[in-house]
Amino acid sequence: MKRILILLMFLAAPAWAVLPDEVLDDPGLEERARDLSQGLRCLVCRNESIDESNADLARDLRLLVRERLVAGDSDEEVIDFIVDRYGEYVLLKPTITGANWVLWLAGPAMLLLAGGVGIAFLRSRSRQRAPQEAALSNEEKAQLHRILEE
């Protein structure tokens, strides 16, 4: 029984990040804030959302999201405000627009390039003739014959 309780405590740990004093009175706004917070990266913890992080910066970002929602901003306006302030790195799922196209396409392009180079290399090797061994001279044949007779 103790093990189950400990396991449940570890599974519920991310829910502890949002402190009770951060929760909005309006359940609709709080749900929107939670949804937005799950898509924003904690800049201290890296691959953890601000909804799950206990870092001070994550708390500040959660409060900023709630502040903007209470001010009447739409979800897109809140995200745009935070991205303008902290950069696109704050998004857990970056957009596929503008300069990001280069980043999104670089991986597959490099894979195709490496495959093409590999195929070209293998084809060039298969077209090459195997090096021919030079035939033995008469002197070498005589020497080989003497060695074999011994």
Side-chain angles (χ1 to χ4, degrees):
M1 185 67 177
K2 248 184 180 178
R3 291 180 186 161
I4 293 173
L5 286 175
I6 291 172
L7 178 66
L8 288 174
M9 285 174 39
F10 282 116
L11 291 175
W16 295 340
V18 178
L19 300 175
D21 65 334
E22 296 175 23
V23 177
L24 296 173
D25 294 331
D26 183 2
L29 281 180
E30 179 60 28
E31 185 176 341
R32 283 177 55 201
R34 282 295 183 98
D35 289 341
L36 292 174
S37 295
Q38 289 173 357
L40 296 173
R41 178 189 321 270
C42 174
L43 299 172
V44 176
C45 307
R46 306 294 171 143
N47 285 333
E48 194 172 21
S49 72
I50 63 171
D51 198 49
E52 300 167 340
S53 175
N54 289 320
D56 291 335
L57 181 60
R59 175 182 163 75
D60 292 343
L61 284 171
R62 287 192 302 265
L63 290 172
L64 181 61
V65 166
R66 284 166 173 76
E67 180 182 303
R68 301 300 300 179
L69 288 174
V70 169
D73 288 357
S74 69
D75 292 355
E76 293 80 22
E77 290 172 334
V78 172
I79 296 296
D80 290 343
F81 179 80
I82 292 176
V83 167
D84 287 344
R85 196 171 220 191
Y86 294 97
E88 200 166 319
Y89 181 72
V90 78
L91 298 175
L92 277 173
K93 293 181 182 175
T95 60
I96 308 176
T97 59
N100 285 346
W101 272 108
V102 174
L103 296 174
W104 282 99
L105 295 177
M110 289 297 175
L111 181 66
L112 291 173
L113 180 67
V117 167
I119 289 170
F121 175 74
L122 291 175
R123 282 190 177 174
S124 70
R125 280 191 64 190
S126 67
R127 289 182 187 149
Q128 288 179 349
R129 287 187 173 172
Q132 296 290 329
E133 293 185 21
L136 295 176
S137 67
N138 290 334
E139 188 178 303
E140 291 171 331
K141 286 180 185 178
Q143 185 180 6
L144 179 62
H145 186 64
R146 273 183 276 145
I147 292 172
L148 290 175
E149 285 180 358
E150 291 178 6

